Amino acid sequence: MAPTNSDIWAQSILCNDNMRRRFSDEQIKSLENMFETESRPELRTKQQLAKRLGLQPRQVAIWFQNKRARSKSKQLELEYRMLQISYDNLGSKYELLKKEHESLLIQLQRLRKLMEKDENEKDVIKSETEVKQDDFGLPLCEDSRGIDYLGPESDILDMAQIADGLSEIENGYNFESRTFLHDNTACTSPLWEF
DNA sequence: TTGTGTTTTATTGCCTCC
DNA sequence: GGAGGCAATAAAACACAA
């Protein structure tokens, strides 16, 4: 029966002095160089390399196997670190958005109070005097030059519109409901579980 | 010097492919 | 069924603080 490659390898190991030795710097350098161009060299290539470096073909094969394992583990470590960095960045962004959200809510409250106050004043004036109104029912004021213009009321109207807009943002900008995120992404990543 | 942690070389067992 | 790859692990070699 013809010996298999495994037999030949096993025999060659036994023929060695049976001492485990680290490879020399030169051997490592050559192996590293080869690994850079081909991480899974063919049998023939490994045999040639082994002959050139004075190693057993099996030792070269094992070195490549171990090197692939080390390389994979380093790559995984790198990917893990990159993910961690982007996770941290996302967390910072979330905190900034949260603060912005809170500040907008405060602004919204102020505007509402302003509107309420103005409504009250308007009621008082309405009850005391007859107010000239424009086509849209808005109060029409007349300045000293006799030009009609929209008075402070229109400013309040603009504020009210802004406030309504903010209110819509407030409702839509809800991390709990995740509607702020596009629904089609249906993100269930724990990254959002702050 | 020695105890301990890390790295490197080698083995084993299982899996896939031809 | 053999060849070769991978994961898990053993064991030797090495680094280094105490």
Side-chain angles (χ1 to χ4, degrees):
Chain A
M1 195 176 80
T4 64
N5 275 339
S6 304
D7 294 336
I8 293 166
W9 273 338
Q11 207 173 9
S12 65
I13 293 282
L14 287 173
C15 287
N16 227 352
D17 57 8
N18 234 6
M19 285 290 289
R20 183 184 293 197
R21 292 211 181 89
R22 293 209 167 188
F23 299 162
S24 68
D25 289 349
E26 204 164 325
Q27 285 171 326
I28 296 288
K29 202 175 169 186
S30 294
L31 289 162
E32 295 272 8
N33 285 341
M34 176 62 76
F35 186 82
E36 271 184 33
T37 55
E38 180 59 69
S39 64
R40 265 190 214 88
E42 288 178 6
L43 177 65
R44 193 171 178 76
T45 315
K46 281 185 279 193
Q47 282 172 337
Q48 283 171 349
L49 189 61
K51 196 173 179 183
R52 187 156 63 82
L53 299 176
L55 294 168
Q56 299 302 323
R58 177 154 175 80
Q59 284 180 295
V60 172
I62 287 167
W63 186 89
F64 272 90
Q65 227 168 73
N66 288 327
K67 179 69 181 173
R68 281 194 295 271
R70 285 195 294 268
S71 179
K72 188 180 175 181
S73 130
K74 270 187 185 174
Q75 182 63 28
L76 278 173
E77 207 174 305
L78 192 70
E79 282 173 20
Y80 173 78
R81 262 185 278 150
M82 298 293 279
L83 273 174
Q84 198 157 35
I85 287 168
S86 58
Y87 177 85
D88 291 344
N89 285 341
L90 208 55
S92 310
K93 277 184 187 170
Y94 172 72
E95 287 304 322
L96 280 176
L97 283 171
K98 206 164 94 176
K99 278 178 187 160
E100 196 183 334
H101 181 219
E102 281 162 8
S103 128
L104 286 171
L105 282 179
I106 291 167
Q107 277 188 50
L108 179 62
Q109 270 183 331
R110 282 188 193 142
L111 287 170
R112 280 190 176 139
K113 277 182 186 166
L114 210 61
M115 279 176 67
E116 268 176 40
K117 192 182 162 193
D118 191 73
E119 282 295 322
N120 293 339
E121 284 174 3
K122 208 164 81 179
D123 287 346
V124 172
I125 292 168
K126 204 174 185 178
S127 64
E128 285 174 355
T129 59
E130 197 56 39
V131 180
K132 197 178 163 188
Q133 292 182 335
D134 67 5
D135 295 341
F136 303 101
L138 290 168
L140 214 51
C141 301
E142 208 170 299
D143 70 4
S144 56
R145 288 162 297 182
I147 299 167
D148 289 342
Y149 71 101
L150 292 174
E153 298 290 336
S154 65
D155 291 342
I156 297 300
L157 188 70
D158 289 345
M159 284 180 175
Q161 284 169 344
I162 291 166
D164 284 347
L166 286 173
S167 189
E168 280 172 23
I169 291 168
E170 184 191 7
N171 292 333
Y173 195 57
N174 188 343
F175 274 81
E176 287 297 313
S177 68
R178 292 183 186 146
T179 50
F180 182 68
L181 298 169
H182 303 296
D183 284 336
N184 58 352
T185 62
C187 180
T188 55
S189 162
L191 287 175
W192 297 103
E193 306 289 352
F194 291 109

PDB file of all heavy atoms in Angstrom, chain A residues 84-115:
ATOM      1  N   GLN A  84     -17.843  49.269  17.901  1.00  0.00           N
ATOM      2  CA  GLN A  84     -17.955  49.945  19.192  1.00  0.00           C
ATOM      3  C   GLN A  84     -17.847  51.466  19.011  1.00  0.00           C
ATOM      4  O   GLN A  84     -18.598  52.224  19.624  1.00  0.00           O
ATOM      5  CB  GLN A  84     -16.853  49.463  20.122  1.00  0.00           C
ATOM      6  CG  GLN A  84     -17.152  49.774  21.574  1.00  0.00           C
ATOM      7  CD  GLN A  84     -16.391  48.859  22.509  1.00  0.00           C
ATOM      8  OE1 GLN A  84     -15.261  48.485  22.211  1.00  0.00           O
ATOM      9  NE2 GLN A  84     -16.993  48.486  23.608  1.00  0.00           N
ATOM     10  N   ILE A  85     -16.934  51.884  18.127  1.00  0.00           N
ATOM     11  CA  ILE A  85     -16.767  53.312  17.862  1.00  0.00           C
ATOM     12  C   ILE A  85     -18.044  53.883  17.262  1.00  0.00           C
ATOM     13  O   ILE A  85     -18.539  54.932  17.694  1.00  0.00           O
ATOM     14  CB  ILE A  85     -15.560  53.562  16.929  1.00  0.00           C
ATOM     15  CG1 ILE A  85     -14.255  53.346  17.695  1.00  0.00           C
ATOM     16  CG2 ILE A  85     -15.600  54.960  16.346  1.00  0.00           C
ATOM     17  CD1 ILE A  85     -13.026  53.274  16.815  1.00  0.00           C
ATOM     18  N   SER A  86     -18.624  53.190  16.287  1.00  0.00           N
ATOM     19  CA  SER A  86     -19.829  53.744  15.662  1.00  0.00           C
ATOM     20  C   SER A  86     -21.016  53.706  16.631  1.00  0.00           C
ATOM     21  O   SER A  86     -21.883  54.566  16.589  1.00  0.00           O
ATOM     22  CB  SER A  86     -20.161  53.031  14.345  1.00  0.00           C
ATOM     23  OG  SER A  86     -20.332  51.687  14.555  1.00  0.00           O
ATOM     24  N   TYR A  87     -21.005  52.723  17.523  1.00  0.00           N
ATOM     25  CA  TYR A  87     -22.039  52.665  18.560  1.00  0.00           C
ATOM     26  C   TYR A  87     -21.939  53.894  19.479  1.00  0.00           C
ATOM     27  O   TYR A  87     -22.928  54.551  19.775  1.00  0.00           O
ATOM     28  CB  TYR A  87     -21.882  51.386  19.370  1.00  0.00           C
ATOM     29  CG  TYR A  87     -22.847  51.249  20.527  1.00  0.00           C
ATOM     30  CD1 TYR A  87     -24.122  50.720  20.340  1.00  0.00           C
ATOM     31  CD2 TYR A  87     -22.481  51.634  21.809  1.00  0.00           C
ATOM     32  CE1 TYR A  87     -25.003  50.593  21.403  1.00  0.00           C
ATOM     33  CE2 TYR A  87     -23.350  51.510  22.878  1.00  0.00           C
ATOM     34  CZ  TYR A  87     -24.615  50.989  22.664  1.00  0.00           C
ATOM     35  OH  TYR A  87     -25.474  50.869  23.717  1.00  0.00           O
ATOM     36  N   ASP A  88     -20.699  54.199  19.889  1.00  0.00           N
ATOM     37  CA  ASP A  88     -20.484  55.360  20.761  1.00  0.00           C
ATOM     38  C   ASP A  88     -20.889  56.654  20.063  1.00  0.00           C
ATOM     39  O   ASP A  88     -21.508  57.533  20.668  1.00  0.00           O
ATOM     40  CB  ASP A  88     -19.022  55.432  21.195  1.00  0.00           C
ATOM     41  CG  ASP A  88     -18.657  54.305  22.144  1.00  0.00           C
ATOM     42  OD1 ASP A  88     -19.599  53.685  22.683  1.00  0.00           O
ATOM     43  OD2 ASP A  88     -17.467  54.026  22.334  1.00  0.00           O
ATOM     44  N   ASN A  89     -20.508  56.767  18.769  1.00  0.00           N
ATOM     45  CA  ASN A  89     -20.875  57.971  18.010  1.00  0.00           C
ATOM     46  C   ASN A  89     -22.386  58.140  17.940  1.00  0.00           C
ATOM     47  O   ASN A  89     -22.916  59.234  18.077  1.00  0.00           O
ATOM     48  CB  ASN A  89     -20.312  57.894  16.594  1.00  0.00           C
ATOM     49  CG  ASN A  89     -18.835  58.154  16.568  1.00  0.00           C
ATOM     50  OD1 ASN A  89     -18.295  58.720  17.518  1.00  0.00           O
ATOM     51  ND2 ASN A  89     -18.169  57.746  15.509  1.00  0.00           N
ATOM     52  N   LEU A  90     -23.047  57.017  17.707  1.00  0.00           N
ATOM     53  CA  LEU A  90     -24.505  57.041  17.614  1.00  0.00           C
ATOM     54  C   LEU A  90     -25.118  57.494  18.933  1.00  0.00           C
ATOM     55  O   LEU A  90     -26.076  58.264  18.964  1.00  0.00           O
ATOM     56  CB  LEU A  90     -25.000  55.638  17.253  1.00  0.00           C
ATOM     57  CG  LEU A  90     -26.304  55.525  16.495  1.00  0.00           C
ATOM     58  CD1 LEU A  90     -26.247  56.352  15.218  1.00  0.00           C
ATOM     59  CD2 LEU A  90     -26.605  54.080  16.157  1.00  0.00           C
ATOM     60  N   GLY A  91     -24.531  57.025  20.022  1.00  0.00           N
ATOM     61  CA  GLY A  91     -25.008  57.409  21.349  1.00  0.00           C
ATOM     62  C   GLY A  91     -24.866  58.907  21.573  1.00  0.00           C
ATOM     63  O   GLY A  91     -25.784  59.562  22.076  1.00  0.00           O
ATOM     64  N   SER A  92     -23.711  59.479  21.140  1.00  0.00           N
ATOM     65  CA  SER A  92     -23.500  60.922  21.298  1.00  0.00           C
ATOM     66  C   SER A  92     -24.505  61.702  20.476  1.00  0.00           C
ATOM     67  O   SER A  92     -25.063  62.702  20.939  1.00  0.00           O
ATOM     68  CB  SER A  92     -22.096  61.295  20.835  1.00  0.00           C
ATOM     69  OG  SER A  92     -21.161  60.466  21.411  1.00  0.00           O
ATOM     70  N   LYS A  93     -24.732  61.234  19.245  1.00  0.00           N
ATOM     71  CA  LYS A  93     -25.700  61.916  18.377  1.00  0.00           C
ATOM     72  C   LYS A  93     -27.082  61.895  19.011  1.00  0.00           C
ATOM     73  O   LYS A  93     -27.826  62.867  18.960  1.00  0.00           O
ATOM     74  CB  LYS A  93     -25.746  61.243  17.003  1.00  0.00           C
ATOM     75  CG  LYS A  93     -24.660  61.711  16.072  1.00  0.00           C
ATOM     76  CD  LYS A  93     -24.826  61.072  14.708  1.00  0.00           C
ATOM     77  CE  LYS A  93     -23.640  61.404  13.810  1.00  0.00           C
ATOM     78  NZ  LYS A  93     -23.661  60.609  12.577  1.00  0.00           N
ATOM     79  N   TYR A  94     -27.415  60.765  19.577  1.00  0.00           N
ATOM     80  CA  TYR A  94     -28.732  60.633  20.204  1.00  0.00           C
ATOM     81  C   TYR A  94     -28.873  61.632  21.345  1.00  0.00           C
ATOM     82  O   TYR A  94     -29.903  62.292  21.492  1.00  0.00           O
ATOM     83  CB  TYR A  94     -28.934  59.211  20.714  1.00  0.00           C
ATOM     84  CG  TYR A  94     -30.187  59.059  21.550  1.00  0.00           C
ATOM     85  CD1 TYR A  94     -31.449  59.104  20.957  1.00  0.00           C
ATOM     86  CD2 TYR A  94     -30.106  58.888  22.929  1.00  0.00           C
ATOM     87  CE1 TYR A  94     -32.602  58.989  21.716  1.00  0.00           C
ATOM     88  CE2 TYR A  94     -31.245  58.768  23.694  1.00  0.00           C
ATOM     89  CZ  TYR A  94     -32.491  58.816  23.085  1.00  0.00           C
ATOM     90  OH  TYR A  94     -33.620  58.701  23.843  1.00  0.00           O
ATOM     91  N   GLU A  95     -27.814  61.754  22.156  1.00  0.00           N
ATOM     92  CA  GLU A  95     -27.862  62.689  23.284  1.00  0.00           C
ATOM     93  C   GLU A  95     -28.055  64.125  22.797  1.00  0.00           C
ATOM     94  O   GLU A  95     -28.831  64.883  23.378  1.00  0.00           O
ATOM     95  CB  GLU A  95     -26.586  62.579  24.122  1.00  0.00           C
ATOM     96  CG  GLU A  95     -26.497  61.313  24.965  1.00  0.00           C
ATOM     97  CD  GLU A  95     -27.700  61.145  25.904  1.00  0.00           C
ATOM     98  OE1 GLU A  95     -28.192  62.158  26.452  1.00  0.00           O
ATOM     99  OE2 GLU A  95     -28.167  60.005  26.073  1.00  0.00           O
ATOM    100  N   LEU A  96     -27.356  64.482  21.720  1.00  0.00           N
ATOM    101  CA  LEU A  96     -27.486  65.830  21.166  1.00  0.00           C
ATOM    102  C   LEU A  96     -28.909  66.078  20.690  1.00  0.00           C
ATOM    103  O   LEU A  96     -29.508  67.121  20.969  1.00  0.00           O
ATOM    104  CB  LEU A  96     -26.524  66.005  19.984  1.00  0.00           C
ATOM    105  CG  LEU A  96     -25.076  66.300  20.345  1.00  0.00           C
ATOM    106  CD1 LEU A  96     -24.222  66.360  19.093  1.00  0.00           C
ATOM    107  CD2 LEU A  96     -24.975  67.624  21.087  1.00  0.00           C
ATOM    108  N   LEU A  97     -29.451  65.083  19.974  1.00  0.00           N
ATOM    109  CA  LEU A  97     -30.819  65.220  19.465  1.00  0.00           C
ATOM    110  C   LEU A  97     -31.818  65.331  20.613  1.00  0.00           C
ATOM    111  O   LEU A  97     -32.798  66.074  20.537  1.00  0.00           O
ATOM    112  CB  LEU A  97     -31.178  64.032  18.575  1.00  0.00           C
ATOM    113  CG  LEU A  97     -30.572  64.069  17.174  1.00  0.00           C
ATOM    114  CD1 LEU A  97     -30.801  62.748  16.461  1.00  0.00           C
ATOM    115  CD2 LEU A  97     -31.171  65.208  16.360  1.00  0.00           C
ATOM    116  N   LYS A  98     -31.542  64.604  21.680  1.00  0.00           N
ATOM    117  CA  LYS A  98     -32.443  64.625  22.832  1.00  0.00           C
ATOM    118  C   LYS A  98     -32.465  66.029  23.448  1.00  0.00           C
ATOM    119  O   LYS A  98     -33.528  66.559  23.771  1.00  0.00           O
ATOM    120  CB  LYS A  98     -31.979  63.599  23.877  1.00  0.00           C
ATOM    121  CG  LYS A  98     -33.107  63.104  24.754  1.00  0.00           C
ATOM    122  CD  LYS A  98     -32.713  61.849  25.482  1.00  0.00           C
ATOM    123  CE  LYS A  98     -32.177  62.150  26.838  1.00  0.00           C
ATOM    124  NZ  LYS A  98     -31.860  60.959  27.619  1.00  0.00           N
ATOM    125  N   LYS A  99     -31.260  66.614  23.573  1.00  0.00           N
ATOM    126  CA  LYS A  99     -31.185  67.958  24.146  1.00  0.00           C
ATOM    127  C   LYS A  99     -31.907  68.959  23.248  1.00  0.00           C
ATOM    128  O   LYS A  99     -32.626  69.844  23.729  1.00  0.00           O
ATOM    129  CB  LYS A  99     -29.723  68.366  24.334  1.00  0.00           C
ATOM    130  CG  LYS A  99     -29.147  67.802  25.606  1.00  0.00           C
ATOM    131  CD  LYS A  99     -27.699  68.157  25.777  1.00  0.00           C
ATOM    132  CE  LYS A  99     -27.133  67.418  26.985  1.00  0.00           C
ATOM    133  NZ  LYS A  99     -25.686  67.337  26.946  1.00  0.00           N
ATOM    134  N   GLU A 100     -31.697  68.813  21.944  1.00  0.00           N
ATOM    135  CA  GLU A 100     -32.351  69.710  20.989  1.00  0.00           C
ATOM    136  C   GLU A 100     -33.859  69.569  21.103  1.00  0.00           C
ATOM    137  O   GLU A 100     -34.603  70.551  21.080  1.00  0.00           O
ATOM    138  CB  GLU A 100     -31.886  69.355  19.584  1.00  0.00           C
ATOM    139  CG  GLU A 100     -32.180  70.445  18.570  1.00  0.00           C
ATOM    140  CD  GLU A 100     -31.765  70.014  17.168  1.00  0.00           C
ATOM    141  OE1 GLU A 100     -30.854  69.170  17.036  1.00  0.00           O
ATOM    142  OE2 GLU A 100     -32.387  70.514  16.214  1.00  0.00           O
ATOM    143  N   HIS A 101     -34.312  68.352  21.231  1.00  0.00           N
ATOM    144  CA  HIS A 101     -35.731  68.066  21.372  1.00  0.00           C
ATOM    145  C   HIS A 101     -36.304  68.748  22.603  1.00  0.00           C
ATOM    146  O   HIS A 101     -37.351  69.397  22.561  1.00  0.00           O
ATOM    147  CB  HIS A 101     -35.917  66.552  21.445  1.00  0.00           C
ATOM    148  CG  HIS A 101     -37.351  66.125  21.560  1.00  0.00           C
ATOM    149  ND1 HIS A 101     -37.725  65.101  22.359  1.00  0.00           N
ATOM    150  CD2 HIS A 101     -38.482  66.584  20.985  1.00  0.00           C
ATOM    151  CE1 HIS A 101     -39.038  64.950  22.277  1.00  0.00           C
ATOM    152  NE2 HIS A 101     -39.514  65.819  21.439  1.00  0.00           N
ATOM    153  N   GLU A 102     -35.562  68.606  23.726  1.00  0.00           N
ATOM    154  CA  GLU A 102     -36.020  69.219  24.973  1.00  0.00           C
ATOM    155  C   GLU A 102     -36.101  70.734  24.840  1.00  0.00           C
ATOM    156  O   GLU A 102     -37.070  71.362  25.274  1.00  0.00           O
ATOM    157  CB  GLU A 102     -35.083  68.839  26.119  1.00  0.00           C
ATOM    158  CG  GLU A 102     -35.359  67.445  26.644  1.00  0.00           C
ATOM    159  CD  GLU A 102     -34.195  66.894  27.456  1.00  0.00           C
ATOM    160  OE1 GLU A 102     -33.239  67.649  27.726  1.00  0.00           O
ATOM    161  OE2 GLU A 102     -34.240  65.697  27.772  1.00  0.00           O
ATOM    162  N   SER A 103     -35.091  71.314  24.194  1.00  0.00           N
ATOM    163  CA  SER A 103     -35.091  72.769  24.038  1.00  0.00           C
ATOM    164  C   SER A 103     -36.239  73.231  23.150  1.00  0.00           C
ATOM    165  O   SER A 103     -36.854  74.262  23.388  1.00  0.00           O
ATOM    166  CB  SER A 103     -33.735  73.211  23.513  1.00  0.00           C
ATOM    167  OG  SER A 103     -33.845  73.999  22.392  1.00  0.00           O
ATOM    168  N   LEU A 104     -36.560  72.444  22.138  1.00  0.00           N
ATOM    169  CA  LEU A 104     -37.695  72.785  21.266  1.00  0.00           C
ATOM    170  C   LEU A 104     -39.013  72.694  22.032  1.00  0.00           C
ATOM    171  O   LEU A 104     -39.920  73.504  21.819  1.00  0.00           O
ATOM    172  CB  LEU A 104     -37.720  71.861  20.050  1.00  0.00           C
ATOM    173  CG  LEU A 104     -36.647  72.133  18.990  1.00  0.00           C
ATOM    174  CD1 LEU A 104     -36.627  71.032  17.945  1.00  0.00           C
ATOM    175  CD2 LEU A 104     -36.881  73.484  18.320  1.00  0.00           C
ATOM    176  N   LEU A 105     -39.100  71.714  22.917  1.00  0.00           N
ATOM    177  CA  LEU A 105     -40.319  71.568  23.721  1.00  0.00           C
ATOM    178  C   LEU A 105     -40.525  72.787  24.617  1.00  0.00           C
ATOM    179  O   LEU A 105     -41.643  73.273  24.783  1.00  0.00           O
ATOM    180  CB  LEU A 105     -40.246  70.306  24.576  1.00  0.00           C
ATOM    181  CG  LEU A 105     -40.535  68.998  23.857  1.00  0.00           C
ATOM    182  CD1 LEU A 105     -40.404  67.834  24.832  1.00  0.00           C
ATOM    183  CD2 LEU A 105     -41.935  68.997  23.253  1.00  0.00           C
ATOM    184  N   ILE A 106     -39.405  73.275  25.188  1.00  0.00           N
ATOM    185  CA  ILE A 106     -39.488  74.460  26.055  1.00  0.00           C
ATOM    186  C   ILE A 106     -39.961  75.660  25.246  1.00  0.00           C
ATOM    187  O   ILE A 106     -40.852  76.398  25.664  1.00  0.00           O
ATOM    188  CB  ILE A 106     -38.123  74.734  26.724  1.00  0.00           C
ATOM    189  CG1 ILE A 106     -37.835  73.630  27.738  1.00  0.00           C
ATOM    190  CG2 ILE A 106     -38.086  76.093  27.372  1.00  0.00           C
ATOM    191  CD1 ILE A 106     -36.409  73.607  28.231  1.00  0.00           C
ATOM    192  N   GLN A 107     -39.371  75.798  24.052  1.00  0.00           N
ATOM    193  CA  GLN A 107     -39.799  76.896  23.171  1.00  0.00           C
ATOM    194  C   GLN A 107     -41.282  76.788  22.863  1.00  0.00           C
ATOM    195  O   GLN A 107     -42.007  77.773  22.844  1.00  0.00           O
ATOM    196  CB  GLN A 107     -39.023  76.832  21.858  1.00  0.00           C
ATOM    197  CG  GLN A 107     -37.666  77.481  21.917  1.00  0.00           C
ATOM    198  CD  GLN A 107     -37.058  77.549  20.525  1.00  0.00           C
ATOM    199  OE1 GLN A 107     -37.714  77.995  19.601  1.00  0.00           O
ATOM    200  NE2 GLN A 107     -35.828  77.071  20.408  1.00  0.00           N
ATOM    201  N   LEU A 108     -41.718  75.594  22.596  1.00  0.00           N
ATOM    202  CA  LEU A 108     -43.121  75.349  22.270  1.00  0.00           C
ATOM    203  C   LEU A 108     -44.035  75.766  23.408  1.00  0.00           C
ATOM    204  O   LEU A 108     -45.066  76.419  23.210  1.00  0.00           O
ATOM    205  CB  LEU A 108     -43.313  73.866  21.962  1.00  0.00           C
ATOM    206  CG  LEU A 108     -44.705  73.387  21.617  1.00  0.00           C
ATOM    207  CD1 LEU A 108     -45.181  74.086  20.344  1.00  0.00           C
ATOM    208  CD2 LEU A 108     -44.742  71.885  21.415  1.00  0.00           C
ATOM    209  N   GLN A 109     -43.622  75.415  24.631  1.00  0.00           N
ATOM    210  CA  GLN A 109     -44.425  75.787  25.802  1.00  0.00           C
ATOM    211  C   GLN A 109     -44.537  77.300  25.936  1.00  0.00           C
ATOM    212  O   GLN A 109     -45.609  77.843  26.186  1.00  0.00           O
ATOM    213  CB  GLN A 109     -43.792  75.196  27.056  1.00  0.00           C
ATOM    214  CG  GLN A 109     -44.326  73.814  27.375  1.00  0.00           C
ATOM    215  CD  GLN A 109     -43.734  73.299  28.674  1.00  0.00           C
ATOM    216  OE1 GLN A 109     -42.619  73.665  29.022  1.00  0.00           O
ATOM    217  NE2 GLN A 109     -44.473  72.449  29.365  1.00  0.00           N
ATOM    218  N   ARG A 110     -43.411  77.974  25.732  1.00  0.00           N
ATOM    219  CA  ARG A 110     -43.398  79.438  25.824  1.00  0.00           C
ATOM    220  C   ARG A 110     -44.360  80.046  24.807  1.00  0.00           C
ATOM    221  O   ARG A 110     -45.133  80.952  25.110  1.00  0.00           O
ATOM    222  CB  ARG A 110     -41.992  79.974  25.572  1.00  0.00           C
ATOM    223  CG  ARG A 110     -41.085  79.834  26.770  1.00  0.00           C
ATOM    224  CD  ARG A 110     -39.779  80.552  26.521  1.00  0.00           C
ATOM    225  NE  ARG A 110     -38.781  80.178  27.507  1.00  0.00           N
ATOM    226  CZ  ARG A 110     -37.506  80.001  27.234  1.00  0.00           C
ATOM    227  NH1 ARG A 110     -37.058  80.140  25.998  1.00  0.00           N
ATOM    228  NH2 ARG A 110     -36.665  79.682  28.182  1.00  0.00           N
ATOM    229  N   LEU A 111     -44.278  79.516  23.604  1.00  0.00           N
ATOM    230  CA  LEU A 111     -45.142  80.048  22.540  1.00  0.00           C
ATOM    231  C   LEU A 111     -46.619  79.830  22.864  1.00  0.00           C
ATOM    232  O   LEU A 111     -47.460  80.684  22.615  1.00  0.00           O
ATOM    233  CB  LEU A 111     -44.793  79.403  21.207  1.00  0.00           C
ATOM    234  CG  LEU A 111     -43.472  79.875  20.598  1.00  0.00           C
ATOM    235  CD1 LEU A 111     -43.080  79.002  19.413  1.00  0.00           C
ATOM    236  CD2 LEU A 111     -43.599  81.328  20.143  1.00  0.00           C
ATOM    237  N   ARG A 112     -46.936  78.687  23.423  1.00  0.00           N
ATOM    238  CA  ARG A 112     -48.328  78.390  23.782  1.00  0.00           C
ATOM    239  C   ARG A 112     -48.847  79.362  24.832  1.00  0.00           C
ATOM    240  O   ARG A 112     -49.968  79.840  24.762  1.00  0.00           O
ATOM    241  CB  ARG A 112     -48.445  76.950  24.263  1.00  0.00           C
ATOM    242  CG  ARG A 112     -48.495  75.981  23.098  1.00  0.00           C
ATOM    243  CD  ARG A 112     -48.851  74.598  23.574  1.00  0.00           C
ATOM    244  NE  ARG A 112     -49.001  73.695  22.439  1.00  0.00           N
ATOM    245  CZ  ARG A 112     -48.571  72.449  22.403  1.00  0.00           C
ATOM    246  NH1 ARG A 112     -47.963  71.958  23.451  1.00  0.00           N
ATOM    247  NH2 ARG A 112     -48.769  71.711  21.354  1.00  0.00           N
ATOM    248  N   LYS A 113     -47.957  79.590  25.823  1.00  0.00           N
ATOM    249  CA  LYS A 113     -48.344  80.528  26.882  1.00  0.00           C
ATOM    250  C   LYS A 113     -48.583  81.910  26.300  1.00  0.00           C
ATOM    251  O   LYS A 113     -49.537  82.605  26.654  1.00  0.00           O
ATOM    252  CB  LYS A 113     -47.261  80.590  27.957  1.00  0.00           C
ATOM    253  CG  LYS A 113     -47.381  79.467  28.956  1.00  0.00           C
ATOM    254  CD  LYS A 113     -46.325  79.588  30.022  1.00  0.00           C
ATOM    255  CE  LYS A 113     -46.374  78.354  30.920  1.00  0.00           C
ATOM    256  NZ  LYS A 113     -45.172  78.264  31.743  1.00  0.00           N
ATOM    257  N   LEU A 114     -47.681  82.296  25.398  1.00  0.00           N
ATOM    258  CA  LEU A 114     -47.799  83.596  24.728  1.00  0.00           C
ATOM    259  C   LEU A 114     -49.124  83.699  23.986  1.00  0.00           C
ATOM    260  O   LEU A 114     -49.828  84.708  24.034  1.00  0.00           O
ATOM    261  CB  LEU A 114     -46.640  83.747  23.742  1.00  0.00           C
ATOM    262  CG  LEU A 114     -46.138  85.148  23.479  1.00  0.00           C
ATOM    263  CD1 LEU A 114     -45.612  85.764  24.776  1.00  0.00           C
ATOM    264  CD2 LEU A 114     -45.038  85.113  22.426  1.00  0.00           C
ATOM    265  N   MET A 115     -49.477  82.619  23.327  1.00  0.00           N
ATOM    266  CA  MET A 115     -50.738  82.595  22.560  1.00  0.00           C
ATOM    267  C   MET A 115     -51.943  82.709  23.474  1.00  0.00           C
ATOM    268  O   MET A 115     -52.891  83.438  23.197  1.00  0.00           O
ATOM    269  CB  MET A 115     -50.830  81.300  21.753  1.00  0.00           C
ATOM    270  CG  MET A 115     -50.038  81.353  20.465  1.00  0.00           C
ATOM    271  SD  MET A 115     -50.090  79.768  19.633  1.00  0.00           S
ATOM    272  CE  MET A 115     -51.809  79.701  19.203  1.00  0.00           C
TER     273      MET A 115
END
